Amino acid sequence: MVDDNKLVYNKKKVLVINTKYKNFGGEDSNIVEELKLLKTKYLVEYLEFDNNANLNFSTLFSFIFAINPSSNLRLKKIIETFNPDVAYIHNTWYRANLGLFNILEKNNIDIFLKLHNYRFDCSKNFLIKNHLQDNIFCKKCGLNKLNNKFINKYFQESYIKSIALIIYGKKYFKILKNKKITLIVLNNFQKKFLKKINIQTPTTILSNPIINFEKNISFDKSNKNDVVYAGLISDSKGLRELLDSWLLAETKNLKLKIIGTGPIKEILEDTYKSKNIEFLNVKSNKETLEIIQNSKAVITATKMFEVQPRLLSEASSLGVASIFPNFGGMTEFFPNDYPLSFVQYDYKTLVDKIQMLHDNNFVEIQSENVYNFVKQNLSDKKFLREFDKIFFDNLPI
C-alpha cells in the first residue's frame, strides 16, 4: 500500500512568484494555467503581488530604489515556512521589485526567471535615442519615436513612472547577467536575441502549455465565414495594414471580426466602414474562444516580436488556422513550411494569404495540421516533462 504522506514528503517544492498586471492579459492567463499543471506534480506555493493595490510607503520606496521592503518581508516569511527547492519568477515590476533576487540567492535557492517579452531591453535607457537607436518604432515594445523627443517615456501618461521603470530596468538588466540565475525563454528566436545583446546567462526554452484541447473536433470550415483578430487595437499590432489588406483581398462572403480595444479603435471604426468588417467590444476569454472556435481562421499583422502569441496557440488548439507574419519566432509554433504565414511588411503577400481562405479543402488541411502540431508540442505532459528536466535535472531544453 502506498503511503500518501511519504509521497507528499518526497515532492519537490516550487515557489512561484509573480506580479499581476493592472489589466489581466495573456501573460497572466499563461501563469494561471502553469500553476494548475505544476500543482499536479509538485508542492507549489504562489507568492503573488498586485499592481492594483493602493500606493503606500513601500511602493514609493520601491519606485526610487527598485526594492520593496514589504515584498521582501513576505518572501522571507514564505522561505521560513515553505523552504522551497526552487523559485520560479515571472513579472517583478513594480510591486514585487528586485530585492527578491538577493534574498533568494542568500538563502541558496535556485532561481529560474521566465522572460515573457522583450521589455528588459527597452527599459534600461534614459534617452529615447538609445532605446530606438536609428529606428522610428521599437519592435520589442511598440514605442514610437514620434511621441517621444528626448526622454525614454515608456509610459506615455507619466514621466515619473517612466523614470521609475528606467531605474528598475537598469538594475533588472544586470540581474539578467547573473550567471547564478537560469533564464527561461519561450522560443529559439528569443534565446538568440539574448546572445545578440551579450547576455550569456544560462538560458533554456520552455514554451507556454495549452491545457485544454477541443474534443470531437471538426476541421471542416466550409460553413464558417468569420476571420478573427483579438487583442490590442494599436498601430504596433498592424491593424491599419491588416484592414487595408482585407479590403484589397476582395473577401466575398468572409467577414473580419476585430475583438478588443485600444488607442486607435474609434479612428479605425470611422475609417473602415464595410459590411465585411465588424468591430466588437472587449470580450471575456471564454467568449473570445467561442467566437474563434466558430470561425474559419484567426489573423494578425503585428509589427512586434511576439514571443508566443496566445491568440494563435489557442486557435490551433481549437483546430483553427492562423494568418500571421513570419517574424520574431512565431513560425516556431507552427508546422514546418506553414503556408499561411506572410512576409513581414509585404502586405501583398498578406492579401494573397487572405484569398487562400476561399479554398475550403486547403483550410481544412491547415486546421488539422496546426491542431496536431500544438497537441504534440504544447501539451501539458510535455511541459511537465521539460519542466522537470530544466528545474531538477539541470538539463537544457
Side-chain angles (χ1 to χ4, degrees), residues 254-268:
L254 297 178
K255 175 180 280 190
L256 176 62
K257 288 189 174 181
I258 298 177
I259 302 172
T261 189
I264 63 171
K265 182 183 179 184
E266 292 183 3
I267 296 172
L268 297 185

Side-chain angles (χ1 to χ4, degrees), residues 3 57 104 117 124 136 185 235 243 286 290 292 322 326 328:
D3 187 341
F57 172 76
L104 291 166
N117 50 59
K124 67 182 192 300
I136 298 295
V185 296
D235 284 317
L243 287 162
K286 182 180 179 181
E290 287 176 353
I292 290 173
S322 298
N326 185 340

Side-chain angles (χ1 to χ4, degrees), residues 62-329:
S62 69
F63 271 139
I64 298 171
F65 298 104
I67 295 173
N68 190 325
S70 64
S71 299
N72 291 354
L73 183 60
R74 286 183 62 192
L75 175 61
K76 289 176 181 177
K77 288 181 178 178
I78 283 185
I79 290 174
E80 289 176 6
T81 57
F82 184 59
N83 189 26
D85 295 299
V86 298
Y88 182 28
I89 303 176
H90 296 277
N91 177 36
T92 53
W93 166 261
Y94 62 92
R95 186 71 62 171
N97 235 296
L98 302 179
L100 307 182
F101 290 94
N102 190 43
I103 294 170
L104 291 166
E105 192 171 328
K106 283 184 177 178
N107 283 273
N108 297 313
I109 298 170
D110 291 337
I111 303 171
F112 298 82
L113 174 60
K114 193 165 192 177
L115 302 178
H116 291 268
N117 50 59
Y118 293 90
R119 287 192 289 268
F120 54 84
D121 195 44
C122 303
S123 58
K124 67 182 192 300
N125 300 298
F126 274 107
L127 300 179
I128 189 67
K129 67 177 183 179
N130 294 334
H131 176 179
L132 298 182
Q133 298 179 3
D134 296 326
N135 301 308
I136 298 295
F137 162 80
C138 179
K139 298 172 184 176
K140 303 184 293 289
C141 70
L143 197 67
N144 194 310
K145 190 174 183 179
L146 298 177
N147 301 324
N148 300 270
K149 301 302 180 184
F150 302 106
I151 300 296
N152 184 20
K153 195 178 180 185
Y154 192 89
F155 297 104
Q156 294 301 298
E157 75 279 7
S158 172
Y159 275 110
I160 294 176
K161 192 175 177 182
S162 297
I163 291 172
L165 177 64
I166 294 167
I167 294 171
Y168 164 96
K170 285 181 172 295
K171 294 184 177 182
Y172 186 76
F173 198 78
K174 290 181 180 179
I175 288 172
L176 296 184
K177 294 191 172 186
N178 181 350
K179 293 186 178 180
K180 294 180 180 179
I181 293 175
T182 299
L183 300 180
I184 307 293
V185 296
L186 289 107
N187 60 40
N188 195 49
F189 180 91
Q190 192 182 21
K191 187 174 183 179
K192 290 179 180 177
F193 178 85
L194 290 176
K195 289 185 178 179
K196 184 178 178 181
I197 61 173
N198 200 32
I199 292 178
Q200 304 298 327
T201 310
T203 304
T204 191
I205 299 170
L206 183 65
S207 300
N208 296 323
I210 299 294
I211 292 180
N212 298 314
F213 283 87
E214 181 65 20
K215 297 177 181 178
N216 302 317
I217 198 164
S218 172
F219 302 109
D220 181 6
K221 308 297 179 185
S222 57
N223 63 338
K224 311 292 186 185
N225 295 315
D226 294 338
V227 179
V228 178
Y229 169 84
L232 182 66
I233 302 178
S234 68
D235 284 317
S236 64
K237 296 294 185 177
L239 265 296
R240 296 178 197 269
E241 291 80 2
L242 172 55
L243 287 162
D244 286 337
S245 300
W246 185 262
L247 293 177
L248 286 171
E250 298 180 0
T251 51
K252 300 177 183 177
N253 61 327
L254 297 178
K255 175 180 280 190
L256 176 62
K257 288 189 174 181
I258 298 177
I259 302 172
T261 189
I264 63 171
K265 182 183 179 184
E266 292 183 3
I267 296 172
L268 297 185
E269 285 180 305
D270 290 338
T271 305
Y272 296 92
K273 295 183 181 295
S274 167
K275 65 179 182 179
N276 290 350
I277 298 173
E278 182 180 2
F279 288 86
L280 303 177
N281 294 322
V282 175
K283 302 290 182 181
S284 69
N285 186 58
K286 182 180 179 181
E287 291 172 319
T288 301
L289 291 179
E290 287 176 353
I291 294 171
I292 290 173
Q293 188 173 356
N294 290 297
S295 69
K296 186 176 285 288
V298 298
I299 190 168
T300 179
T302 182
K303 300 176 182 179
M304 298 174 61
F305 297 153
E306 307 278 358
V307 284
Q308 186 183 344
R310 188 174 175 86
L311 167 68
L312 306 191
S313 293
E314 287 188 320
S316 294
S317 73
L318 296 169
V320 177
S322 298
I323 295 176
F324 61 90
N326 185 340
F327 186 66

